[in-house]
Amino acid sequence: ETTVDLSLGDPPKVTQWSYREGVYDSRDRTFAGFTAAVRRQVGDDSTPTLLTDDAFDSGLIHRELRGAVLTEETRDEAGDVFADTTNTYTSRTLGTGQDAPSYSFKSAERVDEIEGDPSSVRTLLSETDQDDYGNVVEQRAWGEIKGDDAFVGDDEARTVRTYANDPDEWLLGFA
């Protein structure tokens, strides 16, 4: 439990945490962490208590994703859902061989804004791509989407970046 008093005359902000579904990594012979947690932000007379249910990657397949948030659902204590977020990650192996390095990055975020009314869901989508040096080379902020129609909200934005990389001289990521 965490309590924060902002000393502004407002009630203290109380956050309670509970973790579940612990995972053991038999390859590393260690506790890998938890794959789920609930964050409870205690409300008051004017603010409802907010529950955030997170699911995490165990990192058993891609070690660098250990603890990465896969899904997040925000709801009140009555069970009315406000938002449901799903994150997608892309993993890349650089080079060949058993010891070739790999890395992962969040390549998509889908947010279903429900606001307690499942009949009026708004879905927002953003996507990102990186090069083999970890530079963000494209961002697609689709904004509101419906099904496969990414242009329904007429609020999309796309950014493409190029970089000058000279790995022989260790000059990487110059925009």
Side-chain angles (χ1 to χ4, degrees), residues 24 84 106:
Y24 180 76
D84 202 356
K106 183 164 70 169

Side-chain angles (χ1 to χ4, degrees), residues 65-141:
L65 284 175
R66 186 169 290 175
V69 177
L70 299 174
T71 62
E72 179 174 276
E73 179 186 80
T74 306
R75 65 183 183 280
D76 63 14
E77 286 187 305
D80 293 326
V81 177
F82 296 110
D84 202 356
T85 302
T86 303
N87 296 316
T88 303
Y89 297 87
T90 297
S91 298
R92 294 201 173 129
T93 300
L94 308 176
T96 58
Q98 182 177 348
D99 294 329
S102 65
Y103 79 102
S104 300
F105 62 94
K106 183 164 70 169
S107 54
E109 179 181 74
R110 179 188 177 108
V111 180
D112 292 325
E113 294 180 343
I114 302 165
E115 297 299 327
D117 182 6
S119 66
S120 63
V121 176
R122 286 185 59 215
T123 301
L124 308 174
L125 178 65
S126 61
E127 299 172 314
T128 302
D129 195 14
Q130 294 183 2
D131 64 14
D132 288 344
Y133 299 103
N135 298 312
V136 175
V137 294
E138 186 174 6
Q139 290 177 298
R140 296 174 299 278

